């Protein structure tokens, strides 16, 4: 499998296991199945509400002796209610406690939006801090401090547009090492990838399969399906692969990491095997033509009138 390189020589396996929406009672087993079958990269977040069960799985696997902690790349993310400088390291320490780890390989600012302490999901404008009250630079400085303290090896961001990355880089001394964003054939984000590549920022693709298990309230009417797309299915048939494998491989082949979520044993194994596939020039040309700037995770639930962003991704063609 490919890996993504960091400035200090560390390598992150390109294919990891996503854990958003992986239910309690299932997620621990999914992580154990993944590690047993060759995954060495697990993507977590405090807001997924399942880090304690993932921690149990890590503890069991690492104490078994066959897989060492240092062989597995673990990412987690700072939730939006802990952006104030005094809240960042305590939130990180809670994640470390839940995951039963003494360091993370990568810690990300989950979204470029700050909520008041204790807010999981905002209900009104009062739940947000304004951009002036808690500037993202304040949060980033605390992330740098977490790295200095050895609590995390690498730091980065998630859901940051080029504009937000540039702004952060202009205002602080240390650049993000990662941007985790939605990427798939309907949202190819070539410009963002080029920007990141020229600034030594690695990229991770989230929702690579179209995030079909999101709650209905998070879905648009008549969302297009990636897994049922005729071009993807045709390419999958040509290679004797599944549609999911083509979607995962497409990301891996573009040089990003990719973190498909599954709690199903067969699909967990199938997804990792996508690394053995090779998409040819014709496949890549056909997939390139599928780009339609469609987001599954719109981020609209984090946008308010005065306190936050009118347009979280700074999309030129954004329509509220
Ligand atoms: N930074 C951020 O803001 C975000 C980060 N993420 C991260 O990215 C991960 C992946 O994204 P996510 O939104 O979960 O969605 P995915 O695109 O990974 O899709 C997950 C869905 O696909 C199904 N699935 C998995 N493998 C296959 C397969 N081979 N064939 C058919 N269906 C399959 C899963 O079902 P089943 O489990 O039954 O197999 C589930 O319903 C998240 O879990 C999270 O870790 C996601 C969104 C936002
Ligand atoms: C309470 C969970 C809200 C999740 C919002 C969007 C984030 C998705 C995955 O990281």
């Amino acid at each position: 499998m490919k890996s993504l390189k960091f400035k200090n020589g560390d390598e992150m396996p390109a294919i990891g296991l996503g854990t958003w929406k992986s239910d309690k009672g299932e997620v621990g087993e999914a992580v154990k199945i993944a590690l047993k079958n060759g995954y060495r990269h697990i993507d977590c977040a405090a807001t997924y509400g399942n880090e304690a069960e993932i921690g149990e799985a890590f503890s069991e696997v690492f104490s078994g002796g066959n897989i060492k902690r240092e062989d597995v790349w673990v990412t987690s993310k700072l939730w939006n209610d802990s952006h104030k400088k005094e809240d960042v390291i305590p939130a990180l320490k809670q994640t470390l406690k839940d995951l039963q780890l003494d360091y993370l390989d990568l810690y990300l600012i989950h979204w470029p939006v700050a909520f008041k302490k204790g807010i999981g999901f905002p209900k009104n404008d009062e739940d947000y801090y304004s951009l002036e009250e808690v500037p993202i630079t304040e949060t980033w400085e605390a992330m740098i401090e977490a790295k200095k303290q050895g609590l995390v090896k690498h730091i980065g961001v998630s859901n940051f547009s080029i504009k937000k990355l540039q702004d952060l880089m202009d205002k602080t001394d240390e650049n993000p090492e990662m941007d985790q964003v939605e990427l798939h054939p309907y949202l190819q984000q070539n410009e963002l990838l080029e920007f990141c590549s020229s600034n030594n920022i690695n990229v991770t693709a989230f929702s690579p399969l179209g995030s079909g298990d999101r709650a209905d309230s998070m879905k648009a009417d008549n969302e297009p399906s990636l897994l049922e797309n005729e071009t993807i299915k045709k390419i999958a048939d040509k290679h004797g692969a599944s549609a999911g494998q083509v979607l995962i491989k497409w990301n891996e082949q573009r040089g990003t990491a990719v973190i498909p979520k599954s709690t199903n044993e067969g699909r967990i194994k199938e997804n990792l095997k996508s690394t053995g596939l090779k998409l040819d020039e014709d496949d890549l040309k056909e997939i390139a033509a599928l780009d339609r700037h469609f987001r599954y995770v719109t981020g609209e639930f984090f946008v308010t009138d005065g306190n936050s962003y009118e347009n979280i991704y700074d999309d030129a063609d954004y329509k509220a």
Side-chain angles (χ1 to χ4, degrees):
M1 189 200 304
K2 283 192 179 177
S3 61
L4 276 61
K5 313 253 182 312
F6 286 75
K7 232 172 34 194
N8 70 343
D10 284 354
E11 295 194 23
M12 172 193 196
I15 301 178
L17 180 75
T19 62
W20 179 35
K21 309 169 268 65
S22 297
D23 289 336
K24 289 185 189 162
E26 288 185 349
V27 69
E29 201 48 37
V31 167
K32 284 189 270 180
I33 290 168
L35 293 174
K36 188 174 154 200
N37 286 282
Y39 283 76
R40 292 294 179 268
H41 168 181
I42 310 290
D43 183 77
C44 312
T47 196
Y48 301 163
N50 54 15
E51 290 195 324
E53 187 171 323
I54 296 174
E56 289 295 317
F58 283 155
S59 168
E60 192 181 316
V61 170
F62 299 146
S63 64
N66 291 331
I67 301 173
K68 296 203 240 12
R69 161 66 186 100
E70 56 269 32
D71 296 335
V72 180
W73 183 280
V74 182
T75 299
S76 185
K77 312 183 195 93
L78 175 78
W79 188 235
N80 309 346
D81 74 335
S82 301
H83 277 209
K84 280 176 85 77
K85 58 176 176 294
E86 63 271 26
D87 292 332
V88 173
I89 288 182
L92 167 58
K93 285 188 173 165
Q94 183 62 51
T95 272
L96 287 170
K97 187 172 174 212
D98 286 343
L99 291 173
Q100 304 193 31
L101 302 176
D102 50 20
Y103 71 92
L104 290 177
D105 296 277
L106 176 62
Y107 198 44
L108 306 176
I109 298 179
H110 204 150
W111 290 84
V113 176
F115 301 163
K116 301 267 169 72
K117 193 75 196 143
I119 301 296
F121 208 88
K123 292 192 183 60
N124 51 52
D125 282 6
E126 279 64 59
D127 289 342
Y128 294 80
Y129 281 120
S130 70
L131 301 169
E132 289 75 31
E133 282 172 305
V134 186
I136 200 72
T137 47
E138 171 177 332
T139 313
W140 187 245
E141 296 299 341
M143 297 285 284
I144 294 172
E145 177 58 28
K147 186 173 164 183
K148 274 194 192 129
Q149 290 185 20
L151 299 168
V152 300
K153 297 208 164 183
H154 302 277
I155 51 175
V157 297
S158 174
N159 295 298
F160 271 49
S161 62
I162 293 176
K163 188 173 167 201
K164 290 188 174 69
L165 286 170
Q166 186 67 65
D167 184 55
L168 188 63
M169 287 158 58
D170 288 346
K171 292 179 179 160
T172 58
D173 292 338
E174 190 167 335
N175 289 353
E177 298 174 89
M178 173 66 70
D179 194 9
Q180 183 180 120
V181 295
E182 181 174 336
L183 282 179
H184 44 67
Y186 294 156
L187 183 70
Q188 303 193 9
Q189 307 218 54
N190 293 323
E191 222 187 308
L192 177 66
L193 255 56
E194 278 160 31
F195 178 87
C196 287
S197 164
S198 51
N199 287 285
N200 284 321
I201 301 171
N202 279 312
V203 176
T204 298
F206 75 62
S207 303
L209 308 174
S211 197
D213 57 349
R214 275 165 305 132
D216 287 343
S217 59
M218 284 193 183
K219 291 185 179 172
D221 294 339
N222 303 316
E223 277 188 357
S225 165
L226 279 166
L227 289 162
E228 292 301 322
N229 178 279
E230 289 305 327
T231 303
I232 300 294
K233 287 203 294 187
K234 189 188 79 182
I235 294 171
D237 286 348
K238 176 174 134 185
H239 292 282
S242 70
Q245 288 176 320
V246 170
L247 293 166
I248 294 165
K249 184 66 197 187
W250 178 79
N251 276 298
E252 193 206 40
Q253 225 164 295
R254 292 214 308 168
T256 72
V258 51
I259 45 174
K261 172 266 172 185
S262 183
T263 48
N264 172 281
E265 179 162 4
R267 288 190 284 277
I268 291 172
K269 292 179 186 168
E270 171 187 325
N271 292 347
L272 190 67
K273 284 191 189 133
S274 59
T275 194
L277 197 62
K278 181 155 176 22
L279 302 175
D280 61 34
E281 284 305 314
D282 291 342
D283 303 332
L284 295 177
K285 232 183 258 168
E286 286 193 72
I287 296 176
L290 298 178
D291 200 4
R292 54 170 97 170
H293 204 96
F294 180 83
R295 287 183 193 277
Y296 291 101
V297 181
T298 66
E300 281 182 13
F301 30 81
F302 297 145
V303 175
T304 67
D305 276 349
N307 288 321
S308 181
Y309 295 98
E310 182 189 333
N311 168 0
I312 201 162
Y313 295 115
D314 303 308
D315 287 330
D317 56 356
Y318 175 85
K319 284 181 206 68

